[in-house]
Amino acid sequence: MNLILLGAPGAGKGTQAEVISRELGIPQISTGNILREAVKNGTECGLKAKSFMDAGGLVPDDVVIGILKDRIAEDDCRNGFILDGFPRTVVQAEALEKLGVAIDKVLEINVPDDEIKARVGGRRVCESCGASYHIQYKPTKVEGICDKCGGRAVQRKDDAPETVVERLKTYHQTTAPLSEFYKNRGKLTVINGQSSVDETSALVLDALKA
């Protein structure tokens, strides 16, 4: 099954993608992680991306899509994949369609902005492997240390309160229109995020069976 997870920053997409990945045995593909990986491996698209990232700019769609295309061509994606954090715009969604990437379902995790602001402040991300945690909902076993690789789990600049307000504004302007885009294609299921991760996961897994 080829899936897309939508939702505002901090809605819990990454956590739910991990749950689905375990349940269905398909990889979670986070755009941020594959960009970092492509840069580290020095691939052609990775080097292009690095020039934009080093300049503090957004990586252009064609470069991101090139990296994504390489990633979903790998063996572990043969039975499906979960896109977490992509597409971010209708233009990117249209580019995916032009590539011939068939998407089976789009799950949108809906969480009110006020709750997002409260949640995101507690988020921590591993500097080394990109694993995500939350000091309240999904803490590391040892404070500040990633369970997976032992790297430092830190608060990203992106998750600072003033940045979150800007990110939500950007999300509503550029990413929220994707709901309508996929609804019109009969692919969208909206899930109201619950206060407990497990309750949200139960709704997500039910939606996949529907």
Side-chain angles (χ1 to χ4, degrees), residues 1 4 35 55 58 66-67 70 75 77 84 87 106 110 119 161 178-179 189 198:
M1 193 181 275
I4 289 173
L35 276 172
L58 282 176
I67 290 171
D70 291 345
D75 275 356
C77 292
D84 165 17
V106 178
N110 181 34
R119 278 188 190 189
L178 283 169
S179 301
T189 302
D198 289 345

mmCIF file with all atom_site columns, all heavy atoms in Angstrom, residues 1 4 35 55 58 66-67 70 75 77 84 87 106 110 119 161 178-179 189 198:
data_model
loop_
_atom_site.group_PDB
_atom_site.id
_atom_site.type_symbol
_atom_site.label_atom_id
_atom_site.label_alt_id
_atom_site.label_comp_id
_atom_site.label_asym_id
_atom_site.label_entity_id
_atom_site.label_seq_id
_atom_site.pdbx_PDB_ins_code
_atom_site.Cartn_x
_atom_site.Cartn_y
_atom_site.Cartn_z
_atom_site.occupancy
_atom_site.B_iso_or_equiv
_atom_site.pdbx_formal_charge
_atom_site.auth_seq_id
_atom_site.auth_comp_id
_atom_site.auth_asym_id
_atom_site.auth_atom_id
_atom_site.pdbx_PDB_model_num
ATOM 1   N N   . MET A 1 1   ? 0.840   -1.196 0.000  1.00 0.00 ? 1   MET A N   1
ATOM 2   C CA  . MET A 1 1   ? 0.000   0.000  0.000  1.00 0.00 ? 1   MET A CA  1
ATOM 3   C C   . MET A 1 1   ? 0.878   1.249  0.000  1.00 0.00 ? 1   MET A C   1
ATOM 4   O O   . MET A 1 1   ? 1.798   1.351  0.809  1.00 0.00 ? 1   MET A O   1
ATOM 5   C CB  . MET A 1 1   ? -0.884  -0.027 1.259  1.00 0.00 ? 1   MET A CB  1
ATOM 6   C CG  . MET A 1 1   ? -2.006  0.973  1.226  1.00 0.00 ? 1   MET A CG  1
ATOM 7   S SD  . MET A 1 1   ? -3.024  0.939  2.729  1.00 0.00 ? 1   MET A SD  1
ATOM 8   C CE  . MET A 1 1   ? -4.171  -0.359 2.339  1.00 0.00 ? 1   MET A CE  1
ATOM 9   N N   . ILE A 1 4   ? 0.117   8.364  1.939  1.00 0.00 ? 4   ILE A N   1
ATOM 10  C CA  . ILE A 1 4   ? 0.600   9.707  2.278  1.00 0.00 ? 4   ILE A CA  1
ATOM 11  C C   . ILE A 1 4   ? -0.030  10.078 3.615  1.00 0.00 ? 4   ILE A C   1
ATOM 12  O O   . ILE A 1 4   ? -1.224  9.850  3.825  1.00 0.00 ? 4   ILE A O   1
ATOM 13  C CB  . ILE A 1 4   ? 0.194   10.744 1.212  1.00 0.00 ? 4   ILE A CB  1
ATOM 14  C CG1 . ILE A 1 4   ? 0.984   10.515 -0.082 1.00 0.00 ? 4   ILE A CG1 1
ATOM 15  C CG2 . ILE A 1 4   ? 0.420   12.171 1.712  1.00 0.00 ? 4   ILE A CG2 1
ATOM 16  C CD1 . ILE A 1 4   ? 0.535   11.389 -1.243 1.00 0.00 ? 4   ILE A CD1 1
ATOM 17  N N   . LEU A 1 35  ? 16.577  13.620 2.316  1.00 0.00 ? 35  LEU A N   1
ATOM 18  C CA  . LEU A 1 35  ? 17.425  14.729 1.852  1.00 0.00 ? 35  LEU A CA  1
ATOM 19  C C   . LEU A 1 35  ? 18.791  14.659 2.533  1.00 0.00 ? 35  LEU A C   1
ATOM 20  O O   . LEU A 1 35  ? 19.835  14.738 1.877  1.00 0.00 ? 35  LEU A O   1
ATOM 21  C CB  . LEU A 1 35  ? 16.771  16.087 2.171  1.00 0.00 ? 35  LEU A CB  1
ATOM 22  C CG  . LEU A 1 35  ? 15.734  16.619 1.186  1.00 0.00 ? 35  LEU A CG  1
ATOM 23  C CD1 . LEU A 1 35  ? 15.061  17.856 1.742  1.00 0.00 ? 35  LEU A CD1 1
ATOM 24  C CD2 . LEU A 1 35  ? 16.368  16.943 -0.161 1.00 0.00 ? 35  LEU A CD2 1
ATOM 25  N N   . ALA A 1 55  ? 22.803  27.420 1.586  1.00 0.00 ? 55  ALA A N   1
ATOM 26  C CA  . ALA A 1 55  ? 22.471  28.848 1.414  1.00 0.00 ? 55  ALA A CA  1
ATOM 27  C C   . ALA A 1 55  ? 21.249  29.244 2.243  1.00 0.00 ? 55  ALA A C   1
ATOM 28  O O   . ALA A 1 55  ? 20.820  30.391 2.228  1.00 0.00 ? 55  ALA A O   1
ATOM 29  C CB  . ALA A 1 55  ? 22.215  29.134 -0.060 1.00 0.00 ? 55  ALA A CB  1
ATOM 30  N N   . LEU A 1 58  ? 15.035  26.963 0.424  1.00 0.00 ? 58  LEU A N   1
ATOM 31  C CA  . LEU A 1 58  ? 14.240  25.742 0.273  1.00 0.00 ? 58  LEU A CA  1
ATOM 32  C C   . LEU A 1 58  ? 14.775  24.956 -0.912 1.00 0.00 ? 58  LEU A C   1
ATOM 33  O O   . LEU A 1 58  ? 15.134  25.534 -1.933 1.00 0.00 ? 58  LEU A O   1
ATOM 34  C CB  . LEU A 1 58  ? 12.771  26.097 0.003  1.00 0.00 ? 58  LEU A CB  1
ATOM 35  C CG  . LEU A 1 58  ? 11.925  26.523 1.208  1.00 0.00 ? 58  LEU A CG  1
ATOM 36  C CD1 . LEU A 1 58  ? 10.541  26.919 0.725  1.00 0.00 ? 58  LEU A CD1 1
ATOM 37  C CD2 . LEU A 1 58  ? 11.812  25.403 2.227  1.00 0.00 ? 58  LEU A CD2 1
ATOM 38  N N   . GLY A 1 66  ? 13.339  14.287 -7.409 1.00 0.00 ? 66  GLY A N   1
ATOM 39  C CA  . GLY A 1 66  ? 14.393  13.412 -7.929 1.00 0.00 ? 66  GLY A CA  1
ATOM 40  C C   . GLY A 1 66  ? 14.914  12.476 -6.847 1.00 0.00 ? 66  GLY A C   1
ATOM 41  O O   . GLY A 1 66  ? 15.096  11.265 -7.070 1.00 0.00 ? 66  GLY A O   1
ATOM 42  N N   . ILE A 1 67  ? 15.138  13.029 -5.648 1.00 0.00 ? 67  ILE A N   1
ATOM 43  C CA  . ILE A 1 67  ? 15.622  12.228 -4.515 1.00 0.00 ? 67  ILE A CA  1
ATOM 44  C C   . ILE A 1 67  ? 14.558  11.212 -4.091 1.00 0.00 ? 67  ILE A C   1
ATOM 45  O O   . ILE A 1 67  ? 14.855  10.044 -3.812 1.00 0.00 ? 67  ILE A O   1
ATOM 46  C CB  . ILE A 1 67  ? 16.025  13.157 -3.339 1.00 0.00 ? 67  ILE A CB  1
ATOM 47  C CG1 . ILE A 1 67  ? 17.298  13.934 -3.703 1.00 0.00 ? 67  ILE A CG1 1
ATOM 48  C CG2 . ILE A 1 67  ? 16.235  12.374 -2.048 1.00 0.00 ? 67  ILE A CG2 1
ATOM 49  C CD1 . ILE A 1 67  ? 17.674  15.026 -2.737 1.00 0.00 ? 67  ILE A CD1 1
ATOM 50  N N   . ASP A 1 70  ? 14.357  8.283  -6.547 1.00 0.00 ? 70  ASP A N   1
ATOM 51  C CA  . ASP A 1 70  ? 15.446  7.315  -6.291 1.00 0.00 ? 70  ASP A CA  1
ATOM 52  C C   . ASP A 1 70  ? 15.099  6.429  -5.099 1.00 0.00 ? 70  ASP A C   1
ATOM 53  O O   . ASP A 1 70  ? 15.325  5.221  -5.120 1.00 0.00 ? 70  ASP A O   1
ATOM 54  C CB  . ASP A 1 70  ? 16.768  8.047  -5.999 1.00 0.00 ? 70  ASP A CB  1
ATOM 55  C CG  . ASP A 1 70  ? 17.332  8.746  -7.232 1.00 0.00 ? 70  ASP A CG  1
ATOM 56  O OD1 . ASP A 1 70  ? 16.870  8.437  -8.353 1.00 0.00 ? 70  ASP A OD1 1
ATOM 57  O OD2 . ASP A 1 70  ? 18.226  9.610  -7.068 1.00 0.00 ? 70  ASP A OD2 1
ATOM 58  N N   . ASP A 1 75  ? 14.500  -1.514 -3.213 1.00 0.00 ? 75  ASP A N   1
ATOM 59  C CA  . ASP A 1 75  ? 13.824  -2.808 -2.994 1.00 0.00 ? 75  ASP A CA  1
ATOM 60  C C   . ASP A 1 75  ? 12.801  -2.804 -1.865 1.00 0.00 ? 75  ASP A C   1
ATOM 61  O O   . ASP A 1 75  ? 11.759  -3.450 -1.969 1.00 0.00 ? 75  ASP A O   1
ATOM 62  C CB  . ASP A 1 75  ? 14.866  -3.906 -2.687 1.00 0.00 ? 75  ASP A CB  1
ATOM 63  C CG  . ASP A 1 75  ? 15.421  -4.485 -3.980 1.00 0.00 ? 75  ASP A CG  1
ATOM 64  O OD1 . ASP A 1 75  ? 14.929  -4.078 -5.052 1.00 0.00 ? 75  ASP A OD1 1
ATOM 65  O OD2 . ASP A 1 75  ? 16.336  -5.314 -3.914 1.00 0.00 ? 75  ASP A OD2 1
ATOM 66  N N   . CYS A 1 77  ? 10.736  -0.769 -1.002 1.00 0.00 ? 77  CYS A N   1
ATOM 67  C CA  . CYS A 1 77  ? 9.470   -0.082 -1.324 1.00 0.00 ? 77  CYS A CA  1
ATOM 68  C C   . CYS A 1 77  ? 8.592   -0.899 -2.262 1.00 0.00 ? 77  CYS A C   1
ATOM 69  O O   . CYS A 1 77  ? 7.546   -0.417 -2.698 1.00 0.00 ? 77  CYS A O   1
ATOM 70  C CB  . CYS A 1 77  ? 9.745   1.290  -1.952 1.00 0.00 ? 77  CYS A CB  1
ATOM 71  S SG  . CYS A 1 77  ? 10.480  2.472  -0.813 1.00 0.00 ? 77  CYS A SG  1
ATOM 72  N N   . ASP A 1 84  ? 5.918   10.753 4.536  1.00 0.00 ? 84  ASP A N   1
ATOM 73  C CA  . ASP A 1 84  ? 5.702   11.580 5.718  1.00 0.00 ? 84  ASP A CA  1
ATOM 74  C C   . ASP A 1 84  ? 6.376   12.930 5.462  1.00 0.00 ? 84  ASP A C   1
ATOM 75  O O   . ASP A 1 84  ? 7.599   13.011 5.406  1.00 0.00 ? 84  ASP A O   1
ATOM 76  C CB  . ASP A 1 84  ? 6.312   10.843 6.921  1.00 0.00 ? 84  ASP A CB  1
ATOM 77  C CG  . ASP A 1 84  ? 6.489   11.722 8.138  1.00 0.00 ? 84  ASP A CG  1
ATOM 78  O OD1 . ASP A 1 84  ? 5.876   12.794 8.197  1.00 0.00 ? 84  ASP A OD1 1
ATOM 79  O OD2 . ASP A 1 84  ? 7.251   11.328 9.050  1.00 0.00 ? 84  ASP A OD2 1
ATOM 80  N N   . PRO A 1 87  ? 3.696   15.040 -0.280 1.00 0.00 ? 87  PRO A N   1
ATOM 81  C CA  . PRO A 1 87  ? 3.918   16.395 -0.809 1.00 0.00 ? 87  PRO A CA  1
ATOM 82  C C   . PRO A 1 87  ? 3.496   17.467 0.198  1.00 0.00 ? 87  PRO A C   1
ATOM 83  O O   . PRO A 1 87  ? 2.673   17.215 1.061  1.00 0.00 ? 87  PRO A O   1
ATOM 84  C CB  . PRO A 1 87  ? 3.013   16.415 -2.044 1.00 0.00 ? 87  PRO A CB  1
ATOM 85  C CG  . PRO A 1 87  ? 1.930   15.427 -1.743 1.00 0.00 ? 87  PRO A CG  1
ATOM 86  C CD  . PRO A 1 87  ? 2.544   14.368 -0.911 1.00 0.00 ? 87  PRO A CD  1
ATOM 87  N N   . VAL A 1 106 ? -4.711  8.502  1.448  1.00 0.00 ? 106 VAL A N   1
ATOM 88  C CA  . VAL A 1 106 ? -4.119  9.681  2.085  1.00 0.00 ? 106 VAL A CA  1
ATOM 89  C C   . VAL A 1 106 ? -4.821  9.858  3.427  1.00 0.00 ? 106 VAL A C   1
ATOM 90  O O   . VAL A 1 106 ? -6.041  10.018 3.475  1.00 0.00 ? 106 VAL A O   1
ATOM 91  C CB  . VAL A 1 106 ? -4.309  10.940 1.206  1.00 0.00 ? 106 VAL A CB  1
ATOM 92  C CG1 . VAL A 1 106 ? -3.739  12.165 1.901  1.00 0.00 ? 106 VAL A CG1 1
ATOM 93  C CG2 . VAL A 1 106 ? -3.664  10.742 -0.166 1.00 0.00 ? 106 VAL A CG2 1
ATOM 94  N N   . ASN A 1 110 ? -5.877  15.363 11.968 1.00 0.00 ? 110 ASN A N   1
ATOM 95  C CA  . ASN A 1 110 ? -6.381  16.702 12.229 1.00 0.00 ? 110 ASN A CA  1
ATOM 96  C C   . ASN A 1 110 ? -6.249  17.034 13.720 1.00 0.00 ? 110 ASN A C   1
ATOM 97  O O   . ASN A 1 110 ? -6.813  16.344 14.568 1.00 0.00 ? 110 ASN A O   1
ATOM 98  C CB  . ASN A 1 110 ? -7.858  16.736 11.793 1.00 0.00 ? 110 ASN A CB  1
ATOM 99  C CG  . ASN A 1 110 ? -8.468  18.092 11.999 1.00 0.00 ? 110 ASN A CG  1
ATOM 100 O OD1 . ASN A 1 110 ? -7.783  19.107 11.852 1.00 0.00 ? 110 ASN A OD1 1
ATOM 101 N ND2 . ASN A 1 110 ? -9.730  18.135 12.354 1.00 0.00 ? 110 ASN A ND2 1
ATOM 102 N N   . ARG A 1 119 ? 1.887   20.781 21.960 1.00 0.00 ? 119 ARG A N   1
ATOM 103 C CA  . ARG A 1 119 ? 2.585   19.517 21.685 1.00 0.00 ? 119 ARG A CA  1
ATOM 104 C C   . ARG A 1 119 ? 4.023   19.719 21.211 1.00 0.00 ? 119 ARG A C   1
ATOM 105 O O   . ARG A 1 119 ? 4.941   19.043 21.643 1.00 0.00 ? 119 ARG A O   1
ATOM 106 C CB  . ARG A 1 119 ? 1.867   18.758 20.559 1.00 0.00 ? 119 ARG A CB  1
ATOM 107 C CG  . ARG A 1 119 ? 0.677   17.963 20.988 1.00 0.00 ? 119 ARG A CG  1
ATOM 108 C CD  . ARG A 1 119 ? 0.248   17.138 19.789 1.00 0.00 ? 119 ARG A CD  1
ATOM 109 N NE  . ARG A 1 119 ? -1.034  16.489 19.999 1.00 0.00 ? 119 ARG A NE  1
ATOM 110 C CZ  . ARG A 1 119 ? -1.531  15.592 19.190 1.00 0.00 ? 119 ARG A CZ  1
ATOM 111 N NH1 . ARG A 1 119 ? -0.861  15.245 18.095 1.00 0.00 ? 119 ARG A NH1 1
ATOM 112 N NH2 . ARG A 1 119 ? -2.697  15.028 19.426 1.00 0.00 ? 119 ARG A NH2 1
ATOM 113 N N   . PRO A 1 161 ? 8.683   27.924 19.995 1.00 0.00 ? 161 PRO A N   1
ATOM 114 C CA  . PRO A 1 161 ? 7.313   28.478 19.929 1.00 0.00 ? 161 PRO A CA  1
ATOM 115 C C   . PRO A 1 161 ? 7.078   29.497 18.818 1.00 0.00 ? 161 PRO A C   1
ATOM 116 O O   . PRO A 1 161 ? 6.086   29.421 18.090 1.00 0.00 ? 161 PRO A O   1
ATOM 117 C CB  . PRO A 1 161 ? 7.118   29.112 21.310 1.00 0.00 ? 161 PRO A CB  1
ATOM 118 C CG  . PRO A 1 161 ? 8.059   28.365 22.198 1.00 0.00 ? 161 PRO A CG  1
ATOM 119 C CD  . PRO A 1 161 ? 9.225   27.964 21.351 1.00 0.00 ? 161 PRO A CD  1
ATOM 120 N N   . LEU A 1 178 ? -4.028  20.534 -0.019 1.00 0.00 ? 178 LEU A N   1
ATOM 121 C CA  . LEU A 1 178 ? -3.867  19.133 -0.441 1.00 0.00 ? 178 LEU A CA  1
ATOM 122 C C   . LEU A 1 178 ? -5.064  18.279 -0.020 1.00 0.00 ? 178 LEU A C   1
ATOM 123 O O   . LEU A 1 178 ? -5.378  17.290 -0.677 1.00 0.00 ? 178 LEU A O   1
ATOM 124 C CB  . LEU A 1 178 ? -2.587  18.529 0.167  1.00 0.00 ? 178 LEU A CB  1
ATOM 125 C CG  . LEU A 1 178 ? -1.275  18.946 -0.494 1.00 0.00 ? 178 LEU A CG  1
ATOM 126 C CD1 . LEU A 1 178 ? -0.105  18.510 0.373  1.00 0.00 ? 178 LEU A CD1 1
ATOM 127 C CD2 . LEU A 1 178 ? -1.156  18.356 -1.890 1.00 0.00 ? 178 LEU A CD2 1
ATOM 128 N N   . SER A 1 179 ? -5.703  18.661 1.094  1.00 0.00 ? 179 SER A N   1
ATOM 129 C CA  . SER A 1 179 ? -6.881  17.910 1.565  1.00 0.00 ? 179 SER A CA  1
ATOM 130 C C   . SER A 1 179 ? -7.927  17.854 0.456  1.00 0.00 ? 179 SER A C   1
ATOM 131 O O   . SER A 1 179 ? -8.462  16.799 0.135  1.00 0.00 ? 179 SER A O   1
ATOM 132 C CB  . SER A 1 179 ? -7.511  18.573 2.795  1.00 0.00 ? 179 SER A CB  1
ATOM 133 O OG  . SER A 1 179 ? -6.571  18.645 3.827  1.00 0.00 ? 179 SER A OG  1
ATOM 134 N N   . THR A 1 189 ? -8.864  10.303 3.878  1.00 0.00 ? 189 THR A N   1
ATOM 135 C CA  . THR A 1 189 ? -9.573  9.971  5.115  1.00 0.00 ? 189 THR A CA  1
ATOM 136 C C   . THR A 1 189 ? -9.043  10.901 6.206  1.00 0.00 ? 189 THR A C   1
ATOM 137 O O   . THR A 1 189 ? -7.825  10.978 6.411  1.00 0.00 ? 189 THR A O   1
ATOM 138 C CB  . THR A 1 189 ? -9.307  8.508  5.553  1.00 0.00 ? 189 THR A CB  1
ATOM 139 O OG1 . THR A 1 189 ? -9.712  7.635  4.495  1.00 0.00 ? 189 THR A OG1 1
ATOM 140 C CG2 . THR A 1 189 ? -10.076 8.154  6.812  1.00 0.00 ? 189 THR A CG2 1
ATOM 141 N N   . ASP A 1 198 ? -1.842  6.025  21.340 1.00 0.00 ? 198 ASP A N   1
ATOM 142 C CA  . ASP A 1 198 ? -2.436  4.700  21.061 1.00 0.00 ? 198 ASP A CA  1
ATOM 143 C C   . ASP A 1 198 ? -3.854  4.821  20.501 1.00 0.00 ? 198 ASP A C   1
ATOM 144 O O   . ASP A 1 198 ? -4.254  4.071  19.604 1.00 0.00 ? 198 ASP A O   1
ATOM 145 C CB  . ASP A 1 198 ? -2.466  3.834  22.330 1.00 0.00 ? 198 ASP A CB  1
ATOM 146 C CG  . ASP A 1 198 ? -1.068  3.381  22.724 1.00 0.00 ? 198 ASP A CG  1
ATOM 147 O OD1 . ASP A 1 198 ? -0.160  3.490  21.873 1.00 0.00 ? 198 ASP A OD1 1
ATOM 148 O OD2 . ASP A 1 198 ? -0.877  2.926  23.865 1.00 0.00 ? 198 ASP A OD2 1
#
